[in-house]
């Protein structure tokens, strides 16, 4: 093994951000294996490699014993003291057993080990870099599409956007830049694997944190998110600062802040509602843009009965029940919506029934 190879290991270690000493240790371990494999030896050996010249020496390690040695890993006290009179029982004697032409075998094995260790170290570095990014938002570039999976370059690693995590109807094109939500980062035998999403409610939350300084600074808090990806979302916001309008902060001047998020989500409609500790008020707010006349709460069944103007019943329910469904998901309350005339008719029927019972 020549000095050029040693220099190459040192330079490669620096380039890849790996301590060269770790690579040298790996090479020495590999040379021990190579020695035993090529000589058929079973005794303990140590390989010493000069970090400047590349010169290699192999030493058999034998424990000094009283009497006859039991195997190749032992040496008698008499034999040991022939080498050095200071040896005692229990000491370890090192005897050089470097084979001829071992340098050629060593170099071949060392190259393979160095490449393998660099790959392992790079995988470890990638995992360390990305493991803390779970539940975070990242920007990537679409690299390829295979079997309905979209592969996104996040820098030094590809993330996988599976069909279940893709927004229905969203078109993905090569080299497009887009933001994704990191669902999971895991180390596998093939390296670090990152699973991302465009449908996760966390993506909407992180986008608002990026676009709204008041949320990033903690002045405005996101209490809840309900989302039907690609169609519509609702987000409930709250602030303890009476001088701040949480909804207005999220909407931004002329709607610029929320419009940026809508554009990122390819036109997904977003309702921003004010959170309230009062469930009745919270449900009424969540049914925006519909106007609510009255609400009544059934705490036991966790049902909120809502009355809206006749002309706004369809708006409150939404297309295929979407508005009511999202409001229920946002507030965690079951919502029973009635129009003003329906509520009046039910009340009249109830009053009539009461009169009949009294008679």
């Amino acid at each position: 093994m020549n000095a050029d190879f040693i220099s190459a290991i040192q330079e490669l270690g620096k380039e890849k951000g790996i301590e060269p000493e770790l690579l040298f240790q790996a090479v020495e371990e590999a040379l021990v294996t190579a020695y035993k494999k090529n000589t058929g030896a079973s005794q303990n050996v140590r390989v010493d490699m000069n970090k400047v010249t590349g010169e290699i020496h192999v030493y058999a390690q034998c424990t000094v014993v009283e009497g006859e040695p039991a195997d190749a890993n032992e040496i008698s006290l008499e034999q040991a003291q022939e080498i050095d009179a200071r040896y005692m029982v229990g000491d370890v004697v090192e005897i050089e057993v470097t084979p001829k032409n071992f340098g050629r075998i060593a170099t071949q094995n060392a190259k393979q080990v160095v490449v393998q260790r660099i790959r392992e170290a790079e995988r470890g570095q990638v995992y360390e870099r990305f493991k803390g990014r779970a539940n975070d938002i990242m920007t990537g570039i679409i690299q390829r599409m295979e079997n309905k999976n979209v592969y996104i370059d996040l820098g030094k690693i590809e993330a996988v956007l599976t069909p279940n995590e893709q927004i229905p109807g969203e078109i993905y094109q090569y080299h497009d830049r887009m933001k994704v939500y990191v669902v999971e980062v895991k180390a596998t035998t093939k390296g670090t694997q990152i699973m991302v999403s465009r449908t996760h409610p966390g993506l909407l939350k992180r986008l608002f944190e990026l676009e709204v300084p008041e949320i990033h600074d903690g002045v405005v808090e996101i209490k809840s998110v309900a989302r039907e990806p690609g169609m519509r979302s609702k987000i409930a916001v709250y602030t303890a600062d009476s001088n701040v309008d949480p909804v207005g902060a999220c909407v931004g001047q002329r709607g610029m802040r929320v419009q940026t998020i809508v554009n990122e989500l390819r036109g997904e409609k977003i309702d921003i509602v004010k959170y309230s500790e009062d469930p009745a008020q919270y449900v009424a707010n969540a049914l925006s843009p519909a106007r609510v006349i009255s609400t009544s709460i059934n705490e036991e069944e966790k049902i909120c009965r809502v009355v809206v103007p006749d002309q706004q019943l369809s708006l409150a329910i939404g297309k295929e029940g979407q508005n009511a469904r999202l409001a229920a998901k946002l507030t965690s309350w079951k919502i029973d919506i009635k129009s003003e005339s329906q509520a009046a008719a039910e009340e009249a029927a109830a009053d009539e029934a009461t009169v009949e019972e009294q008679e």
Side-chain angles (χ1 to χ4, degrees):
M1 190 174 292
N2 57 37
D4 290 339
F5 185 75
I6 297 298
S7 297
I9 290 178
Q10 291 173 331
E11 289 299 319
L12 200 55
K14 290 176 183 176
E15 181 186 329
K16 299 292 185 179
I18 304 165
E19 285 293 331
E21 189 59 36
L22 295 177
L23 295 179
F24 285 128
Q25 288 175 8
V27 169
E28 289 176 353
E29 290 169 10
L31 295 182
V32 169
T33 303
Y35 171 81
K36 290 184 176 181
K37 182 178 179 181
N38 284 277
T39 63
S42 60
Q43 75 261 46
N44 297 326
V45 296
R46 179 180 69 85
V47 171
D48 179 68
M49 180 172 61
N50 189 296
K51 307 301 190 300
V52 178
T53 64
E55 190 175 346
I56 298 170
H57 296 278
V58 183
Y59 298 95
Q61 296 179 313
C62 302
T63 303
V64 179
V65 297
E66 192 79 57
E68 287 296 315
D71 55 40
N73 289 316
E74 294 181 349
I75 186 172
S76 69
L77 179 60
E78 291 78 11
Q79 289 175 312
Q81 288 181 341
E82 285 178 10
I83 299 170
D84 190 325
R86 291 173 295 180
Y87 279 122
M88 305 285 289
V89 173
D91 289 344
V92 175
V93 177
E94 290 196 333
I95 304 169
E96 185 167 359
V97 290
T98 309
K100 291 181 180 180
N101 301 321
F102 188 59
R104 179 180 57 79
I105 299 169
T107 301
Q108 185 177 356
N109 280 272
K111 285 180 180 178
Q112 295 172 350
V113 169
V114 168
V115 170
Q116 183 180 348
R117 284 300 172 95
I118 285 175
R119 285 176 181 167
E120 290 173 358
E122 286 182 324
R123 286 175 181 174
Q125 288 174 341
V126 169
Y127 178 71
E128 288 299 318
R129 177 181 171 185
F130 288 98
K131 71 176 182 179
R133 301 302 299 271
N135 305 319
D136 200 357
I137 192 172
M138 297 186 72
T139 302
I141 299 172
I142 296 175
Q143 290 296 303
R144 57 195 174 94
M145 287 163 273
E146 293 178 7
N147 300 323
K148 297 184 179 180
N149 291 326
V150 179
Y151 293 85
I152 302 164
D153 180 13
L154 297 178
K156 289 197 173 182
I157 194 169
E158 274 188 342
V160 184
L161 182 67
T162 61
N164 290 340
E165 301 295 341
Q166 297 170 16
I167 294 176
E170 187 170 45
I171 298 172
Y172 303 103
Q173 296 182 329
Y174 295 107
H175 306 307
D176 275 1
R177 292 178 67 86
M178 67 178 184
K179 290 182 171 62
V180 292
Y181 183 79
V182 180
V183 177
E184 184 181 22
V185 179
K186 59 183 178 180
T188 71
T189 53
K190 294 182 179 180
T192 302
Q193 187 178 63
I194 299 182
M195 309 303 293
V196 296
S197 174
R198 288 278 292 170
T199 62
H200 198 286
L203 176 62
L204 186 63
K205 185 177 180 181
R206 293 299 188 193
L207 286 171
F208 270 97
E209 289 174 356
L210 286 176
E211 292 297 329
V212 182
E214 290 86 347
I215 293 177
H216 182 270
D217 296 340
V219 177
V220 174
E221 181 184 352
I222 297 173
K223 286 289 189 179
S224 182
V225 175
R227 190 176 176 209
E228 293 191 359
M231 300 294 290
R232 191 170 186 174
S233 296
K234 287 182 182 286
I235 182 168
V237 292
Y238 168 80
T239 182
D241 190 337
S242 58
N243 295 319
V244 176
D245 173 14
V247 175
C250 294
V251 172
Q253 189 175 13
R254 296 181 182 176
M256 290 297 292
R257 289 176 176 175
V258 71
Q259 190 58 49
T260 300
I261 298 170
V262 168
N263 293 342
E264 175 60 40
L265 297 178
R266 309 294 195 265
E268 185 174 310
K269 294 179 181 178
I270 302 172
D271 296 334
I272 305 168
V273 304
K274 189 174 182 180
Y275 173 81
S276 174
E277 294 286 353
D278 176 10
Q281 184 61 54
Y282 187 24
V283 170
N285 294 346
L287 285 169
S288 173
R291 181 170 63 86
V292 173
I293 295 174
S294 66
T295 55
S296 61
I297 295 292
N298 183 329
E299 291 277 2
E300 195 173 309
E301 298 180 16
K302 204 163 186 181
I303 295 176
C304 182
R305 291 181 171 80
V306 178
V307 178
V308 299
D310 289 358
Q311 66 272 22
Q312 292 207 5
L313 180 61
S314 59
L315 181 64
I317 295 172
K319 186 179 180 181
E320 298 178 352
Q322 186 183 68
N323 193 56
R325 187 166 58 249
L326 283 170
K329 191 174 181 181
L330 187 75
T331 60
S332 299
W333 281 78
K334 295 177 183 178
I335 304 175
D336 182 16
I337 304 174
K338 302 289 184 183
S339 68
E340 197 171 7
S341 58
Q342 287 174 335
E346 287 182 2
E347 188 177 344
D351 289 344
E352 186 177 334
T354 302
V355 170
E356 288 178 357
E357 286 178 5
Q358 291 174 348
E359 290 177 351

